[in-house]
């Protein structure tokens, strides 16, 4: 992996997940709400899945898959301690160097777990290879717009206290990135859409406490490692709630769906193979380009 692709401190991510694994239940309601929206996509298929990989599910996804009749679930996480809380067969695994053989699973679910990966296209290729033909991949990632108010409050407070600002909230992908990432990784029938969770905290401090409890604090390599000014966080939090009221927070989610290629899957028709004209289906008159009678 080139230095240009190194965005996150993966060792720091693992250490933080190890640290918070025992208390991850504090943020389970948020993880469960996101997982429910992601797994709703299983209702759109009649396929029955038997061997699933729960990637970074943090004790939420594996029980949901078991409740849906999945016979065997492997719960993998970068953090060994977090993997042990996953609810399935625990495996400590780096998403950038997956230890699974090709055709190992017929379902892979990554719920809010791939956004700390440096080489996301490479990780998706490995996940596709770990799927059996016609296996299903489901993933949710925080998308652009997530924690935007916190990002702006921290930036404004830091700019006021000292020259310049440093990244304190992770960069997130845009919706338009989703389908292209799946196609690049070789998934068939790729779909990328957007969902959101609207959260509300009684205090700004409660938001920071949840981020710490989930192991989701800043791990960007470009972060400022100096001790922040003492007034930084109090000033930023005051901007989040100027009147001391509740703090609304939006979790924008990029939802990805893709299938491992298989001969039995539907394929787009060959251009020119249609036996019905579009004009006939629409009940209109077909005009050639340059036809003077063509309406303008």
């Amino acid at each position: 992996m080139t230095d240009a692709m190194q965005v996150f401190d993966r060792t720091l991510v693992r250490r933080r997940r190890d640290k918070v694994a025992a208390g991850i239940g504090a943020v389970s309601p948020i993880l469960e709400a996101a997982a429910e929206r992601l797994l709703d996509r299983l209702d759109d298929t009649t396929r029955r899945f038997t061997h699933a990989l729960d990637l970074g599910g943090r004790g939420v996804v594996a029980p949901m898959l078991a409740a849906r009749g999945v016979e065997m679930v492997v719960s993998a996480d970068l953090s060994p301690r977090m993997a042990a809380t996953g609810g399935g067969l625990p495996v400590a695994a780096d998403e950038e160097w997956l230890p699974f053989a090709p055709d190992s699973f017929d379902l892979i679910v990554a719920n809010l777990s791939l956004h700390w990966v440096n080489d996301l296209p490479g990780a998706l290729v490995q996940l596709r290879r770990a799927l059996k033909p016609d296996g299903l991949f489901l993933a949710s990632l925080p998308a652009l717009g997530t924690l935007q108010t916190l990002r702006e409050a921290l930036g404004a407070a830091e700019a006021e206290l000292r020259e310049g600002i440093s990244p304190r909230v992770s960069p997130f992908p845009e919706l338009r990135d989703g389908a292209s990432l799946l196609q690049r990784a070789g998934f068939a029938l790729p779909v990328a859409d957007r969902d959101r969770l609207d959260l509300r905290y009684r205090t700004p401090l409660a938001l920071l406490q949840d981020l710490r409890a989930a192991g989701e604090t800043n791990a960007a390599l470009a972060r400022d490692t100096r001790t922040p000014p003492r007034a930084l966080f109090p000033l930023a939090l005051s901007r989040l709630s100027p009147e001391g009221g509740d703090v609304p927070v939006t979790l924008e989610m990029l939802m990805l769906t893709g299938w491992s290629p298989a001969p039995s899957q539907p394929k787009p028709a060959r251009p020119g193979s249609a036996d019905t004209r579009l004009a006939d289906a629409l009940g209109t008159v077909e005009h050639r380009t340059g036809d003077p009678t063509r309406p303008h």
Side-chain angles (χ1 to χ4, degrees):
M1 192 183 304
T2 65
D3 290 342
M5 298 175 66
Q6 297 289 332
V7 180
F8 305 113
D9 185 339
R10 300 275 295 164
T11 301
L12 181 59
V13 172
R14 176 182 56 78
R15 288 174 179 170
R16 286 179 174 167
R17 288 194 176 188
D18 275 340
K19 183 177 180 179
V20 304
I24 196 64
V27 292
S28 288
I30 297 174
L31 298 173
E32 288 171 356
E36 286 172 356
R37 298 186 183 216
L38 181 60
L39 295 181
D40 279 348
R41 284 149 176 79
L42 293 178
D43 298 333
D44 297 331
T45 177
T46 58
R47 280 284 309 278
R48 182 174 178 271
F49 301 99
T50 59
H51 292 72
L53 171 61
D54 157 30
L55 192 61
R58 289 176 272 190
V60 167
V61 172
M64 290 183 175
L65 292 176
R68 288 174 174 265
V70 179
E71 298 172 5
M72 191 275 288
V73 180
V74 172
S75 291
D77 200 283
L78 180 63
S79 156
R81 293 180 183 175
M82 193 69 79
T85 70
L89 178 65
V91 174
D94 189 333
E95 299 95 334
E96 296 179 353
W97 303 94
L98 290 176
F100 306 111
D103 304 344
S104 294
F105 306 99
D106 52 18
L107 174 65
I108 295 177
V109 179
N111 182 54
L112 298 178
S113 66
L114 292 175
H115 52 291
W116 293 116
V117 172
N118 285 309
D119 182 12
L120 184 54
L124 291 176
V125 169
Q126 294 183 61
L127 290 167
R128 194 258 303 160
R129 289 174 179 167
L131 278 171
K132 298 177 181 179
D134 206 29
L136 177 61
F137 171 68
L138 297 175
S140 62
L141 293 89
L144 187 67
T146 294
L147 298 177
Q148 187 61 32
T149 54
L150 178 60
R151 186 194 306 274
E152 293 171 354
L154 286 168
E158 190 166 19
E160 183 176 326
L161 294 172
R162 64 185 180 192
E163 293 183 2
I165 62 175
S166 61
R168 296 188 179 276
V169 177
S170 177
F172 299 124
E174 297 185 58
L175 175 61
R176 65 185 180 185
D177 299 328
S180 62
L181 282 169
L182 292 172
Q183 289 177 325
R184 180 178 173 184
F187 284 98
L189 309 175
V191 176
D193 59 357
R194 199 178 185 101
D195 208 331
R196 63 186 290 168
L197 285 176
D198 292 317
L199 310 173
R200 186 169 292 274
Y201 288 88
R202 291 184 178 179
T203 66
L205 184 58
L207 167 60
L208 296 187
Q209 289 171 338
D210 264 11
L211 290 173
R212 292 193 186 100
E216 295 291 345
T217 47
N218 188 15
L221 286 170
R223 69 190 184 280
D224 191 338
T225 57
R226 297 176 297 173
T227 301
R230 179 174 297 182
L232 175 62
F233 287 100
L235 179 58
L237 297 184
S238 69
R239 293 176 183 271
L240 282 178
S241 180
E243 300 178 2
D246 290 352
V247 180
V249 176
T250 299
L251 172 55
E252 299 281 356
M253 295 184 294
L254 173 61
M255 316 294 270
L256 302 179
T257 304
W259 294 83
S260 179
S264 60
Q265 290 169 345
K267 294 178 174 57
R270 178 175 52 83
S273 62
D275 54 12
T276 301
R277 297 191 314 155
L278 179 60
D280 293 339
L282 297 176
T284 186
V285 178
E286 182 178 7
H287 295 273
R288 295 181 180 275
T289 302
D291 186 345
T293 64
R294 181 183 179 185
H296 297 284

